[in-house]
Every structure is written in C-alpha cells, then in structure tokens.
Amino acid sequence: MKKTNIVWMALACGMTVTGFAPPKQIEKHYQPIHHTATKMDNNFNEEQKKVFSTIEKMVAAFEAKDIDGVLATYENNAIVMFEPQKPVQGKENLRAAFTQFVGMNPQYTFSGHEVYVSGDIATHVAPWKMTGHLPDGTKIEQSGLSVAVLRKQTDGSWLMIQDNPHGQLLLNQ
C-alpha cells in the first residue's frame, strides 16, 4: 500500500463511532479516550451519553487493536471514509482496512465532542489529532474533524452508519 494511502487511513481512524458495548470482559481493559472536556461534554443528557460512551469504546478498542470490538460499533452496511470521497462498506472490507491500520499504533486525542440526537438518528462531531508510526518508522501526526451518523437500535444501543473523519475536507479546498 502506498504511503499516501496509509496516511489517509490514519486520518480515518480519528473517526467517531457509536454502537453497543463490547462484552464486559473486554470492556474492563479499555481506558477512556483522551479529550479536553468542553461545556457540552459536561452537559450531555442521558441519550447523548449513550452515544458518546460508544465512541469511547470504539476508540479504546481500536487503540487496543481489538478489531472485533471496533466492528461491533458499526451497522452491517455502514460506510467509512478511510480516504476522502472513497467510502468503504461491509464488515469484511472494514475489517481489512482497520486491521492494516492498527499496525501504526495510533493514539488519538479529541479537543471536544458534540452529540445531537433527533429520534433514532444521532450526529457526533469531534476535532481530533492522531500520532502513530508507518511501518518504516516514520512518525505520523494528523488532525481532522470527524463527523459520524448513528442509528439507535431496537435494543437502545447506537451503531454507526456513516463515519467520515475527513469532515474538514471541503473547508481545505
């Protein structure tokens, strides 16, 4: 894979995600995601907290290289923009992309989170920064604006249906 594609994949995993919680035995090993609380973070209502909790679980699973935990936060036909304007769809395609990407040992920080819920649809927006290393040892530092759309499931959990870590793309043109 070309270095450019790997860098774009690095951008992708700053993405936000929500869904149901991983099994309890996995959940114990996760650490909270690193972020600077904003006023909105501190004032989430219960439904916003559910959405945000899943985001934390996805990022923690990703940093722990738990691909099954990551995939558990997506609906089966969800799309992820690992590269701008090139959606990847389907669990096995997502598995392949995430598996390749975790080798860079990415670490994420977020400068805030916004969560808006309207019925069974939620939107999560978060500016992010990522550091990691390419296979040749080259350090990567990237940042972006993650925009994710989630759908509430019949059991009350939230799963991501669209995940775009390149939400800032149009502003940069």
Side-chain angles (χ1 to χ4, degrees), residues 27-126:
E27 193 171 297
K28 292 179 194 173
H29 302 290
Y30 291 159
Q31 299 298 316
I33 61 176
H34 312 288
H35 73 282
T36 305
T38 64
K39 187 173 184 179
M40 186 174 190
D41 291 340
N42 295 325
N43 294 310
F44 282 161
N45 65 32
E46 288 305 310
E47 208 61 36
Q48 288 170 312
K49 287 178 184 177
K50 289 178 186 178
V51 171
F52 183 65
S53 174
T54 307
I55 292 163
E56 290 184 301
K57 291 172 186 171
M58 182 278 175
V59 173
F62 186 77
E63 288 182 348
K65 300 181 181 184
D66 175 10
I67 302 301
D68 288 332
V70 170
L71 294 175
T73 63
Y74 290 91
E75 281 192 5
N76 286 332
N77 291 315
I79 62 169
V80 177
M81 305 299 285
F82 288 97
E83 293 184 62
Q85 303 176 344
K86 294 183 180 180
V88 174
Q89 187 172 32
K91 291 273 183 163
E92 290 312 308
N93 293 329
L94 295 178
R95 177 182 302 282
F98 281 118
T99 299
Q100 187 171 19
F101 184 58
V102 297
M104 293 189 310
N105 298 313
Q107 296 294 306
Y108 294 93
T109 56
F110 299 88
S111 58
H113 298 270
E114 292 183 345
V115 175
Y116 299 101
V117 177
S118 179
D120 66 347
I121 299 294
T123 302
H124 175 268
V125 180

